[in-house]
Each structure stands twice: as structure tokens, then as C-alpha cells.
Amino acid sequence: MDAVELHGVTKSFGAVRAVDGIDLRLARGRTVALLGPNGAGKSTVISMMLGLRAPDAGTVRVLGGTPERAVRAGRIGAMPQTGRLIGGVTVRELVGFVQRAHAAVARGPVPSLDDLLGVARISDLAGRRADALSGGQAQRVRFAMAVAGSPDLIVLDEPTAALDIESRRELWAAIRTCADRGATVLFSTHYLEEADAEADRIVVVDRGRVVADGTSEEIKRRVPGRTVSVDAPTSLDADLSALPGVVSSEVDARRVRLHTTDSDATVLALAAAGAVRNLEVSGASLEEAFLSLTHAEPALVAPIQAEEAVR
């Protein structure tokens, strides 16, 4: 049984079709990144998985039943993109309340409070007021609350948005701990390097439809061509743009980067010109593949993003 199954799911908001007939299955125990430009429908898909919105058509099943049933059973842990922590209580009191609530209804064991604080890397924050934390610290507290019931499915909507590098690393270390214990993790992000590094599988959506689905390497291979890079020679008689296969080039004081449809022919031509030094041949990056597969503009993959236009 898959962790999540979507069949023919659609959702509209007025004249805007946010989700347009998506079919998607997420296997258990995998870490999956959900990518897409602003307004692609990612948050709408997530909200239907959590039972917060009902689809206009199609079916959504989570852990073998309805999303509402999975939520009531404590089998889904979710961390929304935004939200404030309750004021006037310490981190230990807040997380402890959530942990006890899950323990009272759980069908199986849940982490102890100390284990939960340790997993989320917030043990040193236990005595701090929950409403007096930095952005990264507050995100780790939200994560502790999301996994307090030892959920089978963890859903994270832009978990590291606007966090600094160290805070992102700390949060991802906590997420990996839960994934290593067998939880299915679904996360949306605009940080493509996170998807590249952390996801077993990447699902790219655009205009409410799945446009690519596979591993990071499989997604990258959807984009034709390679980049051939060499140290910039002191002199080169050949016209770089005229080399076999080359469609564009970038040259600075240190490196020459040739974008080519035939990397073998390009390398042979460079060798014949005596210009092969510190040769590197690489495929498309995940960002290049993302931009090629969607209608996104380059600005939409910048580190810090606005909320999606279509929720």
C-alpha cells in the first residue's frame, strides 16, 4: 500500500484551475520533493493530502484511507509554511503538550519528550519561551510538534523558507533522522539544491499538472546537451561558437564554458586546438532542468520566495 495516492484530482478557485487532473503515487519510506513555480498548485495538492481542502473531482487516499482518517489517527505530521508559536509557554511545555496529546490516542509508541527534543535538536532551547525564538529555532520547534506522534507520513510545506544556511542544515538533519526511521517525507521547496541533495524522488508540477517525475538524475537527463568547461587558454585560434556542437559559450578570465549538443565532437575539436586543460563535461543542473520543464522565470528559483499565487 502506498503512502499517498491521487487519482484524477482537480481543484479550482473560481476561474483558476489550481490542480488539473493529477495522478500521483508516493511509496512508503521515501523522501519526495514537490517542485513547481509560484502558482503551480503545490500547496493546493498538499492541502488536499492533509484533508484541509476537498478535491472537485478525483480521489485522494492517504495511508490506505481518507486524509481525515489518517489525521485523526495521528499518522500524518505536517509543518505548514507559516504560523506562529503559542506565547507565554516554554518550548518544553509546548512540545510536551503536543507529545502528551499524541500519546493519549496513539495506536503505538510515540517518542518521549526528551527524545523528541533531541531529534529536533532543540534540547538546549527547552527552557526558552516559544515566542522568543529565532526563525530557525522556531522551525525546529514546529518540526518537533509535527513528528510528536511518530507519524508515518511527514508533510513539509517550504520548511526552510527564509532560514539562514546553518538553520537549514540543522532542520534537515532533524528531517533525515525521521526519514531514516522509515517515515515517508514529502516536502515542497524553492531551494532546488535541497531537492537535489535530499530527495529520493522529485515530482515537478506546472499549471496544476505533473510535468516530470523521477530521481534528480532522471530529471536532469530530460534536458538535452552538455557543458564542456576548460581553463581559458592564453590564445585560441578557433572561433568557440564555430566548434562542432556548440550552441552558446561563456568565457571569463579563468574558464571557458561551452554549451554543446555533441560533447564528444566539441572535446575533440578543443584537443586539436591544444585547448584541453582541466577538462570537465557536465549535464544540466536541476535548476536548468526545472526551468526547461516549467514556465518559470529564473527569478522564481531565487533563494527566498514569496508565497505561491495560487494556494
Side-chain angles (χ1 to χ4, degrees):
M1 179 177 59
D2 290 322
V4 176
E5 301 175 56
L6 277 67
H7 300 288
V9 172
T10 65
K11 184 67 180 179
S12 296
F13 298 95
V16 178
R17 179 66 64 89
V19 178
D20 190 10
I22 280 183
D23 293 305
L24 183 64
R25 301 171 71 97
L26 304 183
R28 293 195 179 209
R30 306 295 297 278
T31 298
V32 181
L34 184 64
L35 306 183
N38 290 342
K42 303 187 301 295
S43 291
T44 303
V45 169
I46 287 174
S47 68
M48 289 188 289
M49 289 181 185
L50 298 177
L52 300 175
R53 298 185 190 275
D56 296 334
T59 59
V60 179
R61 293 183 63 80
V62 177
L63 301 168
T66 65
E68 294 81 3
R69 179 180 177 184
V71 169
R72 285 196 301 270
R75 301 184 67 190
I76 302 178
M79 190 169 78
Q81 187 175 348
T82 58
R84 294 182 180 179
L85 298 176
I86 296 173
V89 297
T90 67
V91 169
R92 175 176 286 275
E93 290 169 339
L94 177 58
V95 177
F97 171 79
V98 176
Q99 188 269 348
R100 290 191 299 274
H102 279 285
V105 299
R107 296 183 301 175
V110 300
S112 68
L113 177 56
D114 287 338
D115 284 346
L116 196 56
L117 296 173
V119 165
R121 288 162 171 75
I122 54 174
S123 298
D124 58 332
L125 304 175
R128 296 271 300 275
R129 281 174 56 109
D131 57 349
L133 302 175
S134 70
Q137 291 168 341
Q139 279 294 76
R140 297 204 302 276
V141 172
R142 293 187 189 97
F143 181 75
M145 295 165 63
V147 301
S150 192
D152 298 304
L153 173 64
I154 302 170
V155 180
L156 310 171
D157 192 2
E158 300 288 349
T160 62
L163 298 187
D164 60 40
I165 293 175
E166 186 58 32
S167 295
R168 289 166 62 191
R169 288 175 178 169
E170 287 287 331
L171 184 56
W172 270 110
I175 295 169
R176 283 194 296 271
T177 297
C178 292
D180 290 343
R181 293 179 178 178
T184 302
V185 177
L186 173 70
F187 69 97
S188 68
T189 184
H190 279 99
Y191 293 103
L192 299 186
E193 69 273 19
E194 288 185 346
D196 204 357
E198 305 294 345
D200 303 319
R201 174 184 169 196
I202 294 174
V203 178
V204 182
V205 297
D206 187 31
R207 301 188 180 187
R209 298 181 179 182
V210 174
V211 296
D213 186 351
T215 65
S216 178
E217 290 305 314
E218 289 170 343
I219 299 294
K220 293 173 188 176
R221 287 199 293 269
R222 295 280 296 272
V223 179
R226 295 288 184 270
T227 299
V228 176
S229 303
V230 294
D231 284 352
T234 55
S235 62
L236 183 63
D237 294 333
D239 177 8
L240 294 177
S241 62
L243 293 178
V246 173
V247 293
S248 65
S249 62
E250 302 167 22
V251 183
D252 58 36
R254 301 180 62 184
R255 294 288 281 176
V256 174
R257 298 175 182 83
L258 305 174
H259 305 288
T260 175
T261 58
D262 189 341
S263 57
D264 291 342
T266 301
V267 170
L268 289 173
L270 285 170
V276 177
R277 185 177 179 184
N278 290 331
L279 173 70
E280 180 182 354
V281 180
S282 59
S285 67
L286 185 58
E287 178 178 329
E288 291 169 329
F290 176 85
L291 293 172
S292 174
L293 291 165
T294 70
H295 294 79
E297 297 294 333
L300 296 182
V301 293
I304 299 177
Q305 304 296 327
E307 286 190 57
E308 288 187 32
V310 175
R311 300 291 297 171

